[in-house]
Amino acid sequence: MKRREILKTLTMLPLAGAIGNSGSLVTPAQAAPASKRDLFKEFGIRTFINASGYFTSLSGSLMQPDAADAIRETATSFCRLEEVQDKVGERIASLLHAESAMVTAGAFSALMLGMAGVLSGTDQKKVSQIPRLEGSGMKTEVILQKAHNDGYAHALTNCGVKLITIETVEDLEKAISEKTAMMYFINYQSSLGKIQHKEWLELARKHRIPTMIDMAADLPPKENLWKFHDMGFDLVCVSGGKFMRGPQSTGILSGKKELIAAARMSAPPRGSNIGRGMKVNKEEIFGLYIALEHFINTDQEKEWKMLEDRIAVISKEAASVPGVKAELIPLPLINRIPTLNISWDKSKIKLENLAAVLRNGNPSIEVMGGPGGSINVTSHMLKKDEVKIVASRIREELFKSLI
Ligand SMILES: *Cc1c(COP(=O)(O)O)cnc(C)c1O
């Protein structure tokens, strides 16, 4: 056969790999339309009831149904990506009391792109130089409080900057120099730092240094979405795939107009920049927008009460077993969700690892491990009919283990 004929014959065959593997010409893709297939089952991937929370390793949160619809509906047309970012960004900004906003590939990406924007401004040459700051004329240092130096600050150092950690106002004044690019703040760690939001902003203003706050997981309350803009932070970073229940791979960078314009120069569709690998397409941008709208319009008092009621069901069931204690843990700033700790008297109940027992049970249930072999349970990722299942499975295992 001539080469052209061989190629023609090959393209007429179903996927070549499928023949070798199964000896059948029917590829799995031809067996049934995707919508009729249970892909988790097909791949042997465990699904579970999530009484743990929105963790990246547990595939985040489940999208708002409206957001998933928006993804499906916008997947079938073309448009210019820049126009989507412009127009959806403008709408998001107005909801957030910000001058401007962009959708990013998660809060980590918001931190990184925001940092890049602060460093480069709209200078294309500088954009292409990040993270090689030396000799570029860009500033090279970011100041933050020691207690705010969690692992996520890696997003900033990806841009080539050095982190300068300080504790007191005096330290801060000493650390500021012509190299200082930005002053960075993490909301959930604020109680551990000596300098609070307002003072941080006053000091930054005094020295004319841009500020950024990471509040990735600090919803609810929804007011946090605009609180930090109202306070005066120049850039605010939040996750779209946590309590907001947008696509797991989205986040929002919002703030000063010129900084968002600069950050976008390091993001797709543009290439030759540090953010090219953090693409968010139109579907995800629309999906996030719909989730944000939904989140803002939700009656949060009512939702909170629902979360507490669900926890009460689980709490009551667990505590009905002799020797079991079930109590709400104090609310932190991050992941501010009603969380139930369930512990038991080891002399009455012989149960080593309840979290593993629940994971390996049927249906599989994920809970968090708590102190001393106890478990922590949340209710915000549960579907309505799962609350009772979680409650009765926990009771069942504790009851069975009574000595
Ligand atoms: C989750 C989180 C991030 C990262 O957010 P993604 O949306 O997963 O990229 C950053 N900072 C803090 C404090 C977080 O909790």
Side-chain angles (χ1 to χ4, degrees):
M1 271 195 283
K2 290 203 186 93
R3 187 182 134 80
R4 202 166 359 136
E5 278 165 339
I6 296 172
L7 284 175
K8 206 169 140 197
T9 314
L10 277 177
T11 55
M12 275 158 43
L13 288 170
L15 287 178
I19 307 171
N21 286 342
S22 61
S24 157
L25 289 179
V26 181
T27 64
Q30 289 169 316
S35 60
K36 299 242 161 51
R37 287 163 62 185
D38 184 340
L39 292 171
F40 290 115
K41 209 167 167 187
E42 190 173 316
F43 284 84
I45 291 169
R46 175 178 67 98
T47 57
F48 47 81
I49 293 175
N50 184 356
S52 181
Y54 42 69
F55 295 101
T56 301
S57 57
L58 303 184
S59 62
S61 57
L62 294 184
M63 256 185 277
Q64 283 289 349
D66 287 358
D69 287 348
I71 287 177
R72 210 173 300 110
E73 282 153 21
T74 53
T76 51
S77 302
F78 288 104
C79 61
R80 295 199 74 94
L81 187 56
E82 288 282 75
E83 194 179 354
V84 186
Q85 280 285 17
D86 283 345
K87 292 182 174 162
V88 179
E90 198 176 313
R91 194 86 78 82
I92 292 175
S94 76
L95 291 173
L96 268 46
H97 305 190
E99 286 178 16
S100 187
M102 68 184 289
V103 178
T104 60
F108 193 92
S109 167
L111 293 168
M112 196 169 143
L113 295 175
M115 182 76 249
V118 164
L119 293 171
S120 66
T122 50
D123 180 333
Q124 181 55 51
K125 182 157 179 240
K126 288 179 175 168
V127 167
S128 64
Q129 284 171 315
I130 294 172
R132 294 168 300 276
L133 304 183
E134 208 169 306
S136 69
M138 285 182 270
K139 296 182 190 291
T140 55
E141 294 179 352
V142 170
I143 302 179
L144 70 163
Q145 296 182 72
K146 198 171 157 195
H148 293 215
N149 193 8
D150 73 349
Y152 292 110
H154 202 103
L156 311 177
T157 56
N158 278 352
C159 294
V161 296
K162 198 173 144 198
L163 301 179
I164 310 290
T165 51
I166 55 100
E167 287 187 74
T168 63
V169 172
E170 202 189 355
D171 295 345
L172 175 65
E173 295 275 6
K174 263 193 234 150
I176 290 173
S177 73
E178 70 282 0
K179 291 187 199 157
T180 310
M182 188 170 84
M183 284 169 57
Y184 173 65
F185 197 95
I186 297 195
N187 185 54
Y188 84 92
Q189 295 289 64
S190 53
S191 64
L192 302 178
K194 292 198 168 72
I195 312 173
Q196 295 306 305
H197 305 73
K198 291 219 164 94
E199 194 176 11
W200 192 255
L201 288 169
E202 277 161 24
L203 288 158
R205 214 167 290 137
K206 185 171 124 192
H207 294 279
R208 297 173 179 274
I209 297 169
T211 50
M212 174 191 276
I213 186 165
D214 175 0
M215 52 146 296
D218 306 346
L219 303 174
K222 62 181 162 192
E223 289 76 12
N224 274 358
L225 283 171
W226 44 87
K227 180 175 163 186
F228 303 110
H229 289 299
D230 293 348
M231 267 187 188
F233 278 93
D234 296 316
L235 288 172
V236 179
C237 307
V238 67
S239 290
K242 291 180 178 169
F243 201 76
M244 205 189 292
R245 292 176 58 197
Q248 168 61 11
S249 50
T250 58
I252 304 170
L253 175 69
S254 49
K256 289 273 177 296
K257 205 172 183 134
E258 65 279 8
L259 290 178
I260 302 296
R264 280 180 61 181
M265 292 190 64
S266 277
R270 294 181 180 83
S272 292
N273 57 39
I274 197 163
R276 180 59 182 80
M278 298 188 289
K279 183 149 68 180
V280 202
N281 202 17
K282 62 183 189 315
E283 299 87 0
E284 296 161 291
I285 297 175
F286 282 119
L288 170 75
Y289 176 73
I290 293 298
L292 174 67
E293 226 181 33
H294 187 106
F295 176 65
I296 291 175
N297 292 334
T298 299
D299 180 339
Q300 71 183 6
E301 273 75 44
K302 207 168 126 193
E303 189 173 42
W304 188 265
K305 182 157 186 320
M306 178 195 77
L307 296 180
E308 284 186 334
D309 288 349
R310 288 172 162 194
I311 285 289
V313 171
I314 300 168
S315 176
K316 198 171 148 211
E317 197 80 3
S320 71
V321 180
V324 172
K325 205 165 77 182
E327 48 191 14
L328 283 166
I329 65 167
L331 285 174
L333 283 174
I334 193 170
N335 301 337
R336 205 172 166 78
I337 311 291
T339 302
L340 185 72
N341 178 258
I342 301 174
S343 60
W344 50 93
D345 182 341
K346 303 244 160 47
S347 69
K348 295 203 177 94
I349 296 173
K350 191 167 164 37
L351 184 52
E352 284 301 321
N353 192 344
L354 179 54
V357 170
L358 293 170
R359 180 177 301 131
N360 297 330
N362 187 16
S364 179
I365 299 170
E366 285 284 341
V367 298
M368 282 176 278
S374 66
I375 61 166
N376 284 345
V377 174
T378 62
S379 63
H380 57 307
M381 292 292 117
L382 296 177
K383 296 170 192 154
K384 197 174 161 196
D385 58 347
E386 291 174 343
V387 179
K388 280 209 175 108
I389 299 174
V390 171
S392 63
R393 279 290 296 132
I394 290 173
R395 187 194 131 83
E396 184 186 352
E397 291 301 333
L398 288 165
F399 192 79
K400 227 163 60 182
S401 308
L402 276 168
I403 295 166

